[in-house]
Every structure is written in C-alpha cells, then in structure tokens.
C-alpha cells in the first residue's frame, strides 16, 4: 500500500483484521524475519528430519539421542531468534510410516501399511509405547530452545489428532517433560479431521488454538 508522506511515497503493508503468519516449509532465511508478518504459524518438523536422516529410534538404540535434540533445537533456534518476539509454531513430526522407513534404520521400526496416509502418524505415535521415547526427544528439543536459549516465543502444534483422548495423552506427556501451557507457551491443534471441528469444545480443554490443515 503506497502512502504519501512528507512529499515521499512510502510503501506500508496493509492493515489486516486478522494476524498474518508464515507457513515455513524450508530452512529459515534472514529475509523471513524482515517480512511484515506476525510470526510463523506453521514450521514443519519433517523438513528438519530430512537433514538429520536418521530414524529417532535408531539414534536411541545407538545411544545418541542427543543428535536429534541438538539438530532440531538448532534449526528451530535460528527461526525463533529471527522472529523474536513474534511467535513461532513448530508442528511436531508428522511423517507417515512409508516416509519414516526412508530414514536410516527406519525399516526396523516401521510397519508396512496399506494406507500410510491414514495409519500410524501424528498424535497416535506420540503416546504409543513403540514410539514415545522418540517423541520425548522432540519435546526435549523444544524445551532446549525455550529454556537454554531463552527463546520463549516458541510454541507447538499437534498434528493428525483423531480423538480428544489422544490429545489429552499427548499434552500429558509434554507436561511430564516440563512443557506446560501458559501465558507464553501455547499448544495448537492442526484441524485436519472432522472430529477436530465437531468436538472443538472438548479439544479446547487441551489446546489454545487451531490451524486448518
């Protein structure tokens, strides 16, 4: 929007009635922080795993879980620092089994599914005993960014959450690890399943906002 000011034409971003968040699907660049936005509304963790290239359970099995924590936190730290104090919403991992199998060691931990799109993904993995320890690494990485680096503008998002009970279990694990919802830490839900909308009043007990998937 061009505005005349003191004989000069100045380009200002238009005023909007809603907040404008970035959908960040690639590595953060300095130019993103300079954009006239209100923060990052969706930072996909899967892109970080394509850099790590190791299945998280493989790293745990080998005794190097810190590799996942350190690399996730470093990628996220850059984005949060560039956007600070604007919020950055990191969506927890949402690979399908077919995609996890492509990571090093993945074939040992991932079942073959007829329809991976509707299978073992998103929230259903986080509380599953077969995967919980891997999810705790993601939570630890978020804590590292918020506590060790002091970037409390980092929030999180839960993807593909089928039921209210699933949501409660995931939030419970986060709380066990010290990530508790509060004034400066929000939990969003990716609304991509009919139940997320039809039961919104019940999901609201565990989340602070939604992103339409």
């Amino acid at each position: 929007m061009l505005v005349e000011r003191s004989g000069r034409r100045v380009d200002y971003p238009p005023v909007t009635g809603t907040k404008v968040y970035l959908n960040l699907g690639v590595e953060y660049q300095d130019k993103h922080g300079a954009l006239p936005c209100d923060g990052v509304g969706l930072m996909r963790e899967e892109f970080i795993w394509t850099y790590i290239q190791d299945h998280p359970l493989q790293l745990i099995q080998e005794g190097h879980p810190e590799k996942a924590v350190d690399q996730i936190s470093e990628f996220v730290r850059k984005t949060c620092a560039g956007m600070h104090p604007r919020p950055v919403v990191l969506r927890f991992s949402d690979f399908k089994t077919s995609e996890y199998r492509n990571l090093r060691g993945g074939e040992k931990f991932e079942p073959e599914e007829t329809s991976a799109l509707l299978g073992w993904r998103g929230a259903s993995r986080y509380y599953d005993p077969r995967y919980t320890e891997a999810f705790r690494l993601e939570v630890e990485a978020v804590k590292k960014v918020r506590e060790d680096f002091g970037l409390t503008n980092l929030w999180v998002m839960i993807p593909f959450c089928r039921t209210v009970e699933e949501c409660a279990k995931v939030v419970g694990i986060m709380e066990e690890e010290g990530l508790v919802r509060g004034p400066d830490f929000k939990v969003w839900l990716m609304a991509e399943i009919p139940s997320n909308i039809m039961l919104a009043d019940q999901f609201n007990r565990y989340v602070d906002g939604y992103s339409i998937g």
Side-chain angles (χ1 to χ4, degrees), residues 112 128 134 166 193:
E112 294 277 4
D128 190 314
E166 277 193 338
I193 304 170

Side-chain angles (χ1 to χ4, degrees), residues 151-170:
L151 295 166
T152 55
N153 57 323
L154 176 58
W155 301 349
V156 297
M157 183 188 301
I158 303 171
F160 212 78
C161 188
R162 295 171 171 91
T163 68
V164 176
E165 290 74 20
E166 277 193 338
C167 193
K169 290 177 181 179
V170 173

Side-chain angles (χ1 to χ4, degrees), residues 180-192:
V180 181
R181 293 163 60 205
D184 72 343
F185 179 63
K186 306 298 181 183
V187 177
W188 286 10
L189 183 71
M190 189 153 219
E192 50 195 328

Side-chain angles (χ1 to χ4, degrees), residues 28-155:
Y28 177 79
Q29 303 291 334
D30 290 341
K31 63 182 180 182
H32 291 127
L35 293 174
C37 65
D38 295 292
V40 175
L42 174 57
M43 182 180 184
R44 293 179 172 88
E45 194 180 302
E46 297 88 76
F47 287 94
I48 301 175
W49 282 104
T50 62
Y51 284 89
I52 299 174
Q53 298 186 335
D54 299 307
H55 194 287
L57 293 176
Q58 178 71 23
L59 293 175
I60 291 173
Q61 187 178 82
E62 294 174 346
H64 293 292
E66 74 285 349
K67 180 179 178 181
V69 175
D70 292 345
Q71 292 199 45
I72 292 173
S73 61
E74 180 58 21
F75 269 92
V76 177
R77 179 195 67 77
K78 293 178 182 177
T79 304
C80 291
M83 283 289 167
H84 193 272
R86 294 166 291 178
V88 173
V89 183
L90 173 70
R91 189 179 72 179
F92 285 128
S93 60
D94 191 27
F95 270 150
K96 289 73 173 174
T97 51
S98 57
E99 295 167 323
Y100 268 119
R101 288 178 66 84
N102 292 328
L103 298 177
R104 187 179 69 87
E107 69 282 351
K108 294 188 297 185
F109 305 104
E110 300 298 325
E112 294 277 4
E113 295 183 305
T114 303
S115 178
L117 186 66
L118 299 176
W120 193 37
R121 58 174 289 203
S124 66
R125 299 180 73 97
Y126 306 157
Y127 61 88
D128 190 314
R130 294 173 293 172
Y131 195 80
T132 301
E133 291 310 306
F135 175 60
R136 292 181 188 272
L137 298 182
E138 300 181 36
V139 176
E140 187 177 340
V142 172
K143 280 189 61 182
K144 183 173 182 178
V145 173
R146 289 179 52 83
E147 297 179 4
D148 294 0
F149 298 133
L151 295 166
T152 55
N153 57 323
L154 176 58
W155 301 349

